Amino acid sequence: GGSGARKGGADMEQPHVLYEVEDRVATITLNRPEARNAFTPEMIRLWRESYERARADDEVRVVVVTGRGDTFCSGGNLRDMADGKLVAWDMKRFLWDGVHRVALALRDLDKPVLAAINGAAMGAGLDMALMCDLRVCSDRAKLAETYILFGLVPGDGGAYFLPRLVGLAKALELLLTGDPVTPEEALRLGLVNRVVPHDRLMEETTKLARRIASRPSQAVRMTKRAVYDGLTSTLSAHLDTISSHLALLSETEEHREAVRAFLGRGGSGGGGGGGDPTDR
């Protein structure tokens, strides 16, 4: 538990990202509610370090990301751009060496990551939710790809992740208009997995996270990897890889225990097996 983060930056009282682990679930909380959880260099560094920490911790099986206050994340600081503090190469470096390192650290994390979208997720803030594996959304949240309104392109992977979630034409519509999306529409589009009452957001997200955490951990990690690798793979290459994954998993103790438990209940069936997996 604890913040798990070094203090620093402008706000010496509280680190800009909090990190805690409970019941095999790591929770990462963006912690600048007074600034609508807008990026700072410290926040970006701690965010990346939190993903790396979760990756290295065998106790952690699932990760949840949320924001403190009434905003999930409002993305980059427009005032810095307006004031000319970030000119072209500074902006490139801030993205390439900073913000994008969060996306790359997430790519390297084969444990499932759930975004608990507690409020507005705008621009890069929405991009940060899109790059997670699953999204549980408060019924009070507001989602928008706002870059176009400021004459910018999606700087944090939005143009990569959004078409993969909602399809090409709808992604272009959202990216080119900057129009906000209600939680209900986001659910219909497949942009989020679930919409829940605001005051039950963390309860419902944690429940889903613990449900996934209760599944055989090596199979969970290999499944996540197989799904993402499959997006850029040929069918023959995918099937070759998946046969290796399954062969390795068939020798794990988690697999053997599950099979013994299933057969002990009088089950029968082959690979991928019958029975109700939810009562494990």
Side-chain angles (χ1 to χ4, degrees):
S3 74
R6 293 194 302 275
K7 295 185 179 179
D11 179 1
M12 294 300 290
E13 270 89 57
Q14 288 251 332
H16 290 178
V17 173
L18 306 176
Y19 181 95
E20 59 184 344
V21 178
E22 185 178 347
D23 291 339
R24 302 182 293 189
V25 175
T27 301
I28 296 169
T29 305
L30 310 181
N31 188 37
R32 296 189 70 223
E34 74 290 345
R36 305 186 73 224
N37 293 323
F39 294 166
T40 63
E42 187 208 7
M43 174 187 281
I44 293 301
R45 175 178 59 78
L46 293 174
W47 204 339
R48 171 182 56 79
E49 288 177 0
S50 296
Y51 283 149
E52 292 169 349
R53 183 172 174 182
R55 180 176 184 244
D57 185 350
D58 288 339
E59 183 193 344
V60 172
R61 292 193 173 192
V62 181
V63 179
V64 171
V65 184
T66 194
R68 192 166 155 225
D70 60 5
T71 304
F72 175 75
C73 181
S74 58
N77 189 334
L78 287 170
R79 189 168 285 108
D80 284 352
M81 289 183 249
D83 292 347
K85 289 181 183 174
L86 291 173
V87 295
W89 281 108
D90 297 324
M91 175 62 80
K92 171 81 174 175
R93 277 195 296 269
F94 177 66
L95 292 171
W96 183 242
D97 294 333
V99 176
H100 293 171
R101 298 291 153 184
V102 178
L104 296 173
L106 184 51
R107 181 195 63 183
D108 290 339
L109 177 62
D110 58 3
K111 301 170 184 181
V113 180
L114 284 62
I117 305 174
N118 57 297
M122 301 297 200
L126 179 55
D127 290 352
M128 288 294 203
L130 297 180
M131 66 182 67
C132 295
D133 303 306
L134 303 174
R135 280 153 293 282
V136 181
C137 188
S138 157
D139 58 5
R140 293 187 203 163
K142 183 171 154 188
L143 317 173
E145 283 287 0
T146 50
Y147 294 95
I148 199 72
L149 305 179
F150 301 99
L152 298 170
V153 292
D156 195 17
Y160 179 90
F161 296 110
L162 196 57
R164 286 164 165 78
L165 287 170
V166 303
L168 189 62
K170 194 65 191 184
L172 280 167
E173 180 186 337
L174 296 176
L175 292 166
L176 295 176
T177 62
D179 289 346
V181 179
T182 64
E184 293 72 26
E185 187 185 2
L187 182 64
R188 183 176 59 78
L189 292 172
L191 189 59
V192 300
N193 294 77
R194 300 180 182 186
V195 174
V196 300
H198 182 77
D199 58 2
R200 295 213 339 254
L201 175 67
M202 289 312 293
E203 176 192 343
E204 293 296 326
T205 306
T206 302
K207 189 187 297 183
L208 178 59
R210 287 177 178 161
R211 187 171 171 80
I212 296 169
S214 74
R215 300 298 187 239
S217 60
Q218 290 152 309
V220 166
R221 295 171 70 174
M222 281 194 174
T223 298
K224 173 174 170 174
R225 202 177 301 166
V227 167
Y228 285 111
D229 287 349
L231 291 174
T232 56
S233 176
T234 63
L235 177 60
S236 57
H238 173 79
L239 292 175
D240 185 27
T241 300
I242 211 73
S243 66
S244 299
H245 285 354
L246 192 140
L248 287 169
L249 289 169
S250 71
E251 294 194 1
T252 62
E253 190 54 34
E254 284 180 319
H255 165 69
R256 289 176 178 143
E257 279 180 16
V259 170
R260 282 195 296 269
F262 177 66
L263 295 177
R265 294 197 304 270
S268 62
D276 179 4
T278 60
D279 55 11
R280 276 213 276 280

